[in-house]
Amino acid sequence: MDRILSKLFASETEELYVLDCLAYFMIFMAACTFITLLFENVPYGRYATSRYGFPVNVKFAWFVQELPAFLVPLCLVLWTSAAKTTHLPNQLLLIMYFCHYVQRSLIYPFLIRGGKSTPFASFALAFVFCIYNGYMQVRYLSHYAEYSADWVTSPCFITGSALWLVGWLVNVHSDHILRNLRKPGEISYKIPTGGLFEYVSGANFFGEITEWAGFSLAAHSVHSASFAIFTLIVLASRAFAHHRWYLQKFEDYPKSRKALIPFVL
């Protein structure tokens, strides 16, 4: 892959500049997405609609659209010079990234039970985003990110890593709860209970937002921050949409339950 990158970029300085531009552009996309989501829900899952293209099988869609977020970074680590992968802070941050996407791309799709098909437009956009973000995050961490030798003992890294771990565990556990709401053959929606769902409607979203916020704090770069911001915009909107949907659909939905942040919002 070094040969491919050398054809795309005249120098490492140029590639780093492009990586920075990609990060700032993602923040711009997050702002545009925020405005769009004031008027429209992200069209997948219960909000899927034929206006956004033909339906794609939900398991196939999740597997294929998330796979580049694992494969592109894997190729970057294994088949490029990846000069920073011998440094402990970089190694730990890469482990965090890969831990999420191994679960999300290779495990999660095959555990899905039922679920609505994904409109092609949503599927295609997610596929492109995973290539974009996978390259940006892992190329920066594996080849350009520089940390001091004691960064892993700094408050930012320790706090960020702890947040990442808590968020990852909440996300995985919440997905497990959602998968097991329905018995075999059932297709109707049910009120999720257990875990953080006792406090918020979007427990899985809260977990993933916390996860990438922690990653951003630990990585301490515009690249990780841009992804955390984008994740916050998309998943917070989805959490509030779910909360409104539950309140409208179920008369007995717990009135004390918040949308995203326990006891607060």
Side-chain angles (χ1 to χ4, degrees):
M1 284 193 70
D2 276 329
R3 184 174 298 178
I4 296 173
L5 292 173
S6 66
K7 290 182 178 180
L8 291 173
F9 307 106
S11 65
E12 290 190 349
T13 301
E14 182 179 300
E15 185 182 19
L16 181 57
Y17 174 75
V18 170
L19 287 168
D20 290 346
C21 289
L22 290 174
Y24 288 114
F25 184 68
M26 184 174 286
I27 294 173
F28 172 74
M29 285 197 300
C32 295
T33 301
F34 173 77
I35 296 171
T36 302
L37 292 178
L38 294 175
F39 308 98
E40 183 91 21
N41 291 318
V42 179
Y44 72 91
R46 67 192 64 178
Y47 311 112
T49 169
S50 59
R51 288 191 296 130
Y52 292 94
F54 61 86
V56 181
N57 176 271
V58 64
K59 287 188 177 183
F60 177 86
W62 272 104
F63 173 64
V64 174
Q65 73 189 30
E66 299 291 323
L67 195 58
F70 170 69
L71 288 182
V72 171
L74 185 66
C75 291
L76 289 170
V77 170
L78 295 180
W79 295 310
T80 68
S81 52
K84 305 299 183 182
T85 53
T86 58
H87 300 179
L88 182 59
N90 304 64
Q91 291 174 342
L92 294 175
L93 289 164
L94 287 167
I95 287 171
M96 292 180 204
Y97 177 91
F98 278 108
C99 187
H100 175 88
Y101 278 106
V102 165
Q103 197 279 333
R104 181 62 74 192
S105 63
L106 301 181
I107 299 173
Y108 173 79
F110 303 102
L111 297 177
I112 294 173
R113 296 180 181 178
K116 289 186 176 181
S117 296
T118 301
F120 180 78
S122 297
F123 162 70
L125 286 172
F127 180 82
V128 172
F129 180 86
C130 285
I131 295 174
Y132 179 123
N133 188 58
Y135 164 71
M136 180 177 71
Q137 300 300 331
V138 173
R139 182 59 175 167
Y140 179 74
L141 285 174
S142 66
H143 196 66
Y144 293 104
E146 295 188 11
Y147 301 99
S148 61
D150 61 349
W151 178 246
V152 295
T153 60
S154 69
C156 277
F157 188 87
I158 293 172
T159 304
S161 298
L163 284 172
W164 175 86
L165 180 59
V166 169
W168 185 80
L169 290 172
V170 168
N171 183 233
V172 171
H173 181 244
S174 299
D175 283 342
H176 171 77
I177 289 174
L178 290 173
R179 276 195 304 273
N180 289 280
L181 284 177
R182 298 170 180 159
K183 296 178 181 178
E186 290 184 334
I187 59 172
S188 60
Y189 284 98
K190 294 185 176 182
I191 298 174
T193 57
L196 207 62
F197 281 114
E198 296 296 325
Y199 306 97
V200 294
S201 300
N204 49 333
F205 305 132
F206 175 83
E208 191 160 350
I209 290 169
T210 302
E211 182 184 350
W212 293 118
F215 178 80
S216 174
L217 184 60
H220 217 63
S221 71
V222 66
H223 312 87
S224 57
S226 64
F227 183 37
I229 292 169
F230 193 90
T231 300
L232 172 64
I233 295 299
V234 173
L235 297 188
S237 170
R238 200 157 179 84
F240 286 112
H242 275 30
H243 188 65
R244 291 191 297 269
W245 186 89
Y246 281 125
L247 288 171
Q248 292 170 3
K249 186 172 181 63
F250 298 102
E251 292 183 1
D252 58 340
Y253 194 73
K255 297 299 185 288
S256 61
R257 191 176 293 187
K258 301 298 184 180
L260 183 62
I261 304 174
F263 311 113
V264 178
L265 188 65

